[in-house]
Amino acid sequence: MPPRKTSATGQAVSQVVDEIKQLIVSGDLLPGQQIRQEQMAAALGVSRLPVREALRQLAADGLVVHEQHVGFAVARLSRAEFDQVYLMRRLLETEVIRSLPLPAAEQLDQIAALAEEVERAAAEVDLPRMRTLNSRFHFAIFALSELNLVVGEIRRIWTWALPYHAVYLHDEAGRARILAEHRAMVAALGAGDVDRLVELMDTHRAGSAAQMSLMLAPGMAR
């Protein structure tokens, strides 16, 4: 009986982690916004225990923060921290891209299919789904590299900026730019042109950073 209870509790915590992440991705929870455990438990139909444990996990990942006598809140980056996140992304992602082998036809087809799924989500203006698929698209490319530890670190760094990712998807022109760049990335990957892929990723990343930096106005900064 005890192991079954532990398993059930773990599943509940995992579900709550996913639900809170989705609220952050969708923009329903914004950087700096407090997360009330009682309200979150009621909204998700669970007790406070899995909510508290989920928030602790998210704090360990850097997605939320905890302040004594205040509680949990969505993590908020300062301008300097935001710039460092994108500096680390540029350095590590460039190394991973330069290490990529020429993908097999099946691998390229899978990545191209993800790009098409991102386009369908964009056409339906399903922004949370687009955000999730966008991440899968990029990490499907990174996963071709043997630098698995570096890719793991990139994933962790992406998490820090996750609360800001929703903003750039609300811009129609920004969505169109993202989709065009994805198509160009697939073409460069298929041609084995890593220099072109690095160039495209730099442009892609810079465009997203410029959009997300709008959320770092003085009123939003720490």
Side-chain angles (χ1 to χ4, degrees):
M1 291 298 294
R4 186 177 302 172
K5 181 179 179 181
T6 300
S7 177
T9 301
Q11 290 177 0
V13 171
S14 180
Q15 181 179 350
V16 174
V17 167
D18 290 341
E19 293 281 359
I20 295 176
K21 277 187 176 180
Q22 190 62 31
L23 290 171
I24 294 172
V25 168
S26 66
D28 291 323
L29 288 174
L30 296 172
Q33 184 173 343
Q34 284 196 320
I35 302 174
R36 304 293 185 186
Q37 293 184 44
E38 299 86 350
Q39 295 175 0
M40 186 62 65
L44 299 181
V46 298
S47 68
R48 285 185 58 185
L49 176 60
V51 171
R52 183 167 61 249
E53 291 303 316
L55 289 171
R56 287 174 177 169
Q57 286 189 25
L58 292 167
D61 291 340
L63 197 52
V64 304
V65 294
H66 181 265
E67 294 184 28
Q68 194 171 6
H69 307 306
V70 176
F72 291 93
V74 181
R76 183 170 57 187
L77 297 175
S78 67
R79 176 79 248 186
E81 290 168 336
F82 183 84
D83 290 343
Q84 289 176 69
V85 164
Y86 272 78
L87 171 63
M88 288 187 288
R89 277 193 56 187
R90 178 174 60 81
L91 295 173
L92 296 181
E93 289 171 8
T94 297
E95 288 301 313
V96 167
I97 291 170
R98 291 201 179 281
S99 75
L100 295 180
L102 185 67
E106 182 180 353
Q107 293 172 320
L108 187 63
D109 287 346
Q110 290 173 348
I111 292 169
L114 279 171
E116 291 173 1
E117 287 189 50
V118 176
E119 296 207 20
R120 283 194 290 272
E124 296 167 4
V125 198
D126 187 343
L127 303 187
R129 182 164 167 263
M130 184 182 176
R131 175 67 194 94
T132 299
L133 291 168
N134 177 71
S135 178
R136 289 180 187 172
F137 169 79
H138 286 288
F139 280 94
I141 294 175
F142 298 152
L144 297 174
S145 171
E146 293 184 352
L147 302 178
N148 59 301
L149 294 180
V150 179
V151 173
E153 189 66 15
I154 292 171
R155 190 179 293 278
R156 189 170 72 93
I157 294 168
W158 272 55
T159 300
W160 294 339
L162 190 59
Y164 297 86
H165 285 171
V167 65
Y168 70 91
L169 296 183
H170 286 279
D171 177 52
E172 185 176 356
R175 292 198 300 273
R177 175 188 60 80
I178 289 168
L179 301 179
E181 289 169 354
H182 281 184
R183 290 191 291 270
M185 287 179 192
V186 173
L189 183 63
D193 190 346
V194 293
D195 288 335
R196 175 61 175 156
L197 192 54
V198 167
E199 178 186 351
L200 286 165
M201 192 62 197
D202 284 345
T203 301
H204 193 67
R205 191 186 309 107
S208 299
Q211 289 286 330
M212 287 190 282
S213 66
L214 296 176
M215 292 190 72
L216 292 171
M220 294 291 296
R222 279 190 298 188

